[in-house]
Amino acid sequence: MLLFHMTLAQHLLFASVLFSLSALAAEPDFPLASAVECTARQGLPNFLAKVNQVGAEVKIGYFGGSITAQSGWRPKTLAHFQKTYPQAKISEINAAIGGTGSDLGVFRLKQDMLDHQPDLLFVEFAVNDGGAPPKQIFQCMEGIVRQTWRSLPKCDICFVYTITEALVPAMLEGKFQRSASAMEKIADHYGIPSIHMGMEVAALAKAGKLLWKAKLPKTPEEKQALGEKFVFAPDSVHPHPETGHELYLQAIIRSWTPIASASKSPADHVLSAPFVANHYEMAKLVPIQEATLSADFLALDPKTDDFGKRWSNRMTSLHKGTQPGETISFQFKGTRCAIYDIIGPDCGQVTLSLDDQPVRIIPRFDAYCTYHRLSALMIGTDLPDIVHSVKLQIHPDQPNKAAILAKNKNTIDKPERFNGTAFYPGALLLVGELVK
């Protein structure tokens, strides 16, 4: 499966931005888990049984953010498994999207991953969930587990955690970062193995031997100048494939022995009582045309529309509205709702009416909108589980795009590229049900 058509640099930038903003929401009083590289729990018995069969077709799913999207630990581990288990036919399902966490993952899980029937699912969201409240992480990660085992009870799951310079302080003190600590609660509850791929990274940092942010040395002189220093990443977040991602690969290889030892006879996974009552097992992605769209919204057919084709493996029902006054309206019964959309240079803003709450104006343009990317327009969360009425309308006025871009030292290069009030909805993200 291909990622949607952004450049890798754009994916990486967006992920870094998301983390920087969300980190402001940190909850430092959350109890942190002790840092260990691998906790095998119940292992991966179904995957290991199948991958040892001659001729078995085995699919490994990679579900995460831009660190998984990179040409790094994902293709490296896939190649390792293919070499280790040559009797099987092993392929990947690449469902990584840069700059996104488990709060989007739980909604897109079925479309992007489960419909392709993985035998093993790696879940990597610890960095992009770095500033998320533990309560939200519980809801989303438990939703991912319960959806997976409700749909594919033979699919094994493994949580994998990555690290950044901003998240490492706790690990220097022998503790996981808060996001990974929250995920460990779900892993414990369901017996899911977990691997922290950043333990060796943290050890090097603690020893003063790590350069978090640097280019790889190219000349003998540059290598000599480094001495014992290990270059991790170009940006302190997204590892160099040759260095940081190699440490991630080795962590998985080391963890395979305890995981294999903990794996007993294969069996269907049976869902136990939930860890939190308000988990997101019912999270779903509903095509936007299931709502009521005004007549001028245009469906971007990937067979005939180039822009629609760019996003077709993530946005199967992408629409475009450009005229002020165009509307989307619907009702749903549930507790959370958002719209999965695309934001970019030509986008504007919308007015949102939810039940009897005051009307809000929500920009679909931000300081990084020099290109188009996937996003989510939040309508409401932790709502009462009743029927809600929603109406969105394209606002006639464009936001002050030059001022917004200036916040990140970006500028309007070509005015015609930034002129517009476009709105690109693709799906409803619901915890609940659409009401017709």
Side-chain angles (χ1 to χ4, degrees):
M1 295 174 65
L2 297 174
L3 282 171
F4 57 86
H5 290 217
M6 283 189 203
T7 69
L8 178 59
Q10 290 164 342
H11 280 300
L12 306 188
L13 173 62
F14 185 32
S16 300
V17 170
L18 180 72
F19 168 70
S20 299
L21 295 176
S22 64
L24 298 176
E27 296 181 8
D29 56 341
F30 184 78
L32 302 182
S34 296
V36 294
E37 186 165 77
C38 177
T39 304
R41 298 188 178 91
Q42 296 177 12
L44 303 171
N46 296 328
F47 171 77
L48 290 170
K50 186 172 182 180
V51 81
N52 279 296
Q53 296 174 11
V54 176
E57 294 189 3
V58 179
K59 297 178 183 178
I60 300 176
Y62 294 88
F63 199 47
S66 57
I67 294 172
T68 297
Q70 283 185 274
S71 181
W73 79 271
R74 173 183 50 80
K76 286 176 181 287
T77 57
L78 179 65
H80 170 74
F81 293 136
Q82 289 170 333
K83 182 178 179 180
T84 303
Y85 305 105
Q87 66 278 7
K89 300 176 182 178
I90 303 176
S91 60
E92 71 166 358
I93 305 165
N94 177 5
I97 296 181
T100 66
S102 64
D103 56 337
L104 176 59
V106 71
F107 291 95
R108 65 184 184 88
L109 176 69
K110 179 181 183 298
Q111 172 188 279
D112 292 352
M113 179 59 67
L114 300 185
D115 284 352
H116 303 277
Q117 298 188 313
D119 298 289
L120 169 60
L121 174 59
F122 284 114
V123 183
E124 177 271 313
F125 287 120
V127 165
N128 284 351
D129 280 2
K135 171 190 170 184
Q136 177 182 298
I137 294 174
F138 295 156
Q139 291 172 311
C140 296
M141 293 295 285
E142 184 163 27
I144 289 170
V145 172
R146 295 185 72 88
Q147 284 184 50
T148 299
W149 286 351
R150 185 78 69 188
S151 176
L152 301 171
K154 286 184 168 58
C155 179
D156 287 337
I157 301 172
C158 182
F159 290 174
V160 289
Y161 310 134
T162 55
I163 195 64
T164 70
E165 184 178 16
L167 289 173
V168 82
M171 294 192 66
L172 299 180
E173 301 301 322
K175 300 290 185 180
F176 279 168
Q177 70 258 44
R178 194 187 67 256
S179 57
S181 297
M183 293 172 184
E184 284 289 274
K185 296 287 188 181
I186 303 301
D188 277 338
H189 187 75
Y190 289 97
I192 292 170
S194 59
I195 303 170
H196 202 306
M197 300 190 291
M199 291 293 291
E200 183 65 18
V201 181
L204 288 169
K206 189 169 185 177
K209 296 181 179 180
L210 192 76
L211 288 178
W212 283 101
K213 183 178 180 179
K215 295 180 179 179
L216 290 176
K218 294 181 179 180
T219 67
E221 292 76 16
E222 289 175 339
K223 293 177 181 178
Q224 184 176 7
L226 278 177
E228 293 185 353
K229 295 285 188 178
F230 184 92
V231 177
F232 176 67
D235 59 1
S236 81
V237 176
H238 304 91
H240 288 292
E242 301 88 341
T243 56
H245 273 294
E246 193 64 26
L247 293 185
Y248 286 176
L249 166 65
Q250 295 304 319
I252 289 185
I253 291 174
R254 285 191 299 270
S255 299
W256 220 242
T257 296
I259 286 174
S261 296
S263 303
K264 307 304 180 184
S265 299
D268 286 3
H269 293 284
V270 178
L271 288 171
S272 59
F275 182 73
V276 293
N278 57 347
H279 57 78
Y280 288 169
E281 183 182 348
M282 293 297 293
K284 56 178 62 67
L285 187 153
V286 179
I288 195 65
Q289 64 265 28
E290 296 294 316
T292 300
L293 279 67
S294 57
D296 288 334
F297 267 98
L298 175 66
L300 302 182
D301 187 342
K303 295 180 180 178
T304 58
D305 184 271
D306 288 342
F307 191 83
K309 185 177 181 179
R310 284 177 56 190
W311 308 90
S312 60
N313 73 317
R314 295 289 179 249
M315 289 283 198
T316 59
S317 301
L318 184 62
H319 282 61
K320 179 181 182 179
T322 58
Q323 299 304 312
E326 292 183 55
T327 61
I328 298 174
S329 58
F330 59 94
Q331 291 186 313
F332 74 98
K333 182 181 183 299
T335 60
R336 183 181 175 103
C337 178
I339 289 188
Y340 196 21
D341 69 343
I342 293 168
I343 61 175
D346 58 334
C347 293
Q349 51 193 1
V350 298
T351 59
L352 167 64
S353 302
L354 171 62
D355 299 333
D356 56 357
Q357 297 180 12
V359 174
R360 290 184 283 149
I361 297 177
I362 303 179
R364 305 317 297 144
F365 185 92
D366 63 20
Y368 303 90
C369 276
T370 56
Y371 62 96
H372 289 92
R373 70 177 192 267
L374 291 178
S375 187
L377 186 163
M378 179 55 66
I379 291 171
T381 187
D382 293 326
L383 299 169
D385 192 8
I386 59 175
V387 175
H388 302 279
S389 297
V390 178
K391 182 178 179 180
L392 297 109
Q393 187 171 37
I394 297 179
H395 197 281
D397 300 328
Q398 297 185 42
N400 187 335
K401 295 183 179 182
I404 293 171
L405 289 171
K407 294 176 183 178
N408 197 44
K409 299 181 180 179
N410 287 320
T411 59
I412 293 177
D413 53 0
K414 298 178 181 179
E416 64 274 15
R417 242 180 25 101
F418 287 84
N419 184 41
T421 56
F423 180 35
Y424 294 96
L428 306 176
L429 307 176
L430 297 177
V431 177
E433 299 289 341
L434 196 65
V435 174
K436 292 292 188 178

